[in-house]
Amino acid sequence: MALLDAVLFFSLWAFGLGQLKLEQPEISVTGARDKSVVISCKVSSADFSNEYIHWYRHKPNQAIEHLAYVKTAPARNHLGGKENKIEARKDIPTSTSTLKISFLEKEDEATYYCASWFYVHSSVKVFGSGTQLIVTDRSLDVDMSPKPTIFLPSIDEINLHEAGTHLCLLENFFPDVIKVYWKEKNGNRVLESQQGNIIKTNDTYMKFSWLTVTKRSMDNEHVCIIKHENNKRGIDQEILFPSINKEVTTHACVKKGSDSLKLQLINTCACYTYLFLLLKSSVYFVIIAFCVCRRTAVCGHGKSS
């Protein structure tokens, strides 16, 4: 981890000087076993044509590994005993470097980084943010993008705490690599939000994210932004949450308490749904643990006899 922390520090430092920047637009890439994938890296440089672009991979609990580098002609390399397993290229007109990985197998799963040297008073290697590779046997032709459901704050919460909680539920996505963050509409600053754990449901995943809006921000609209490799056309999803004060005013103009109660019930159902899923997972864990322990005990008695 210390090495990756140093990589991040020097990358941010070089970016701050405005001299070299490497962007990996995909947070993850999924490929079928025995097929191939391409990982891209966009390079902002004063002279991209003369830059050496290096490619690395990092597996959990292992040292980062250098794979190849490219300046002009494509660079091919063997990996895992397979000829031309990887191929690094540069496309000068688009200032982009790509890494193609062929004959995919589970052992190829890792995070892949592009990098290049930055020269000031000394040489520093600047890294991209990394792209995680997932290798799977499942069909990749079905829609596996995150499916959002939104829950607005209740009137009682707003009146009692002078704040409101926007909740964004994301379901039925694959793979589990996902980034969720919040901004004010037309704003650039990423807001402090809360992220729930990623939960596996059958063969897909779900996740909660929520934002607590304080009194001074209740007039503003907010956006939940979802970054995932299976988003349609590769564009980040942006889920709009209306102004809290506008919601309160709207509900005040209709029948007394009717919409307020409905909104409260929706939030309560969301809470109980989340608790039910957690309870369900806990029950499964207890049952499996009991079966494993019982089987172990039976085997132990059999040996002792």
Side-chain angles (χ1 to χ4, degrees):
M1 283 301 293
L3 176 59
L4 292 181
D5 290 340
V7 164
L8 178 59
F9 170 77
F10 285 119
S11 298
L12 292 174
W13 175 72
F15 170 65
L17 294 178
Q19 299 295 320
L20 179 65
K21 182 180 179 183
L22 295 94
E23 295 179 285
Q24 294 179 245
E26 304 103 346
I27 59 174
S28 68
V29 171
T30 302
R33 194 187 297 270
D34 296 325
K35 301 298 183 179
S36 62
V37 296
V38 175
I39 298 174
S40 62
C41 174
K42 177 73 174 177
V43 182
S44 298
S45 168
D47 188 11
F48 175 70
S49 60
N50 288 318
E51 297 283 2
Y52 286 86
I53 306 300
H54 297 256
W55 284 93
Y56 293 81
R57 76 174 177 183
H58 180 253
K59 295 184 178 183
N61 303 317
Q62 295 187 21
I64 193 168
E65 177 185 6
H66 185 265
L67 299 176
Y69 69 89
V70 56
K71 182 182 180 183
T72 52
R76 298 177 179 86
N77 204 348
H78 305 328
L79 197 65
K82 293 188 177 180
E83 187 176 356
N84 296 331
K85 170 80 172 180
I86 60 173
E87 179 184 76
R89 287 179 172 269
K90 281 176 67 178
D91 183 61
I92 304 300
T94 61
S95 296
T96 301
S97 178
T98 58
L99 180 71
K100 182 179 181 181
I101 308 167
S102 303
F103 321 115
L104 287 176
E105 51 192 343
K106 271 293 182 180
E107 289 73 16
D108 295 322
E109 290 193 332
T111 302
Y112 290 78
Y113 296 90
C114 59
S116 186
W117 287 102
F118 174 66
Y119 301 93
V120 188
H121 304 296
S122 60
S123 301
V124 175
K125 185 163 281 188
V126 182
F127 285 74
S129 57
T131 299
Q132 186 172 336
L133 171 63
I134 295 98
V135 181
T136 181
D137 293 319
R138 67 184 299 162
S139 172
L140 301 177
D141 296 329
V142 296
D143 180 14
M144 289 295 174
S145 62
K147 314 302 186 299
T149 303
I150 70 171
F151 300 95
L152 303 175
S154 68
I155 302 298
D156 292 338
E157 179 191 10
I158 297 168
N159 292 335
L160 184 62
H161 301 289
E162 294 188 334
T165 301
H166 292 319
L167 177 66
C168 188
L169 167 63
L170 306 169
E171 297 178 284
N172 301 325
F173 60 87
F174 181 89
D176 60 342
V177 184
I178 188 170
K179 182 178 180 181
V180 184
Y181 57 100
W182 297 74
K183 291 182 177 181
E184 289 186 354
K185 184 181 178 182
N186 301 323
N188 295 319
R189 184 171 63 91
V190 176
L191 304 175
E192 183 178 352
S193 60
Q194 302 297 320
Q195 305 294 327
N197 293 330
I198 296 175
I199 302 171
K200 188 171 184 179
T201 56
N202 297 323
D203 58 349
T204 59
Y205 296 89
M206 64 175 291
K207 177 183 174 68
F208 278 96
S209 179
W210 62 97
L211 174 73
T212 300
V213 181
T214 59
K215 184 177 181 180
R216 63 180 181 179
S217 300
M218 285 186 177
D219 287 328
N220 301 326
E221 295 177 306
H222 292 81
V223 179
C224 176
I225 303 170
I226 305 153
K227 191 175 187 67
H228 190 269
E229 70 168 275
N230 286 322
N231 283 339
K232 294 178 181 178
R233 298 183 298 280
I235 301 173
D236 294 350
Q237 292 191 54
E238 296 190 2
I239 311 302
L240 180 64
F241 284 75
S243 160
I244 291 179
N245 281 339
K246 182 179 179 181
E247 286 297 309
V248 173
T249 303
T250 301
H251 290 302
C253 295
V254 297
K255 294 180 180 179
K256 286 185 179 181
S258 58
D259 281 16
S260 174
L261 178 59
K262 187 185 298 182
L263 203 56
Q264 181 65 46
L265 288 173
I266 291 174
N267 281 273
T268 302
C269 288
C271 180
Y272 280 121
T273 301
Y274 185 58
L275 291 176
F276 171 77
L277 290 171
L278 289 178
L279 179 61
K280 182 180 177 182
S281 299
S282 300
V283 170
Y284 284 161
F285 175 81
V286 170
I287 292 172
I288 293 171
F290 174 78
C291 292
V292 170
C293 291
R294 184 177 180 183
R295 183 175 180 180
T296 304
V298 170
C299 291
H301 288 312
K303 288 181 180 180
S304 62
S305 60

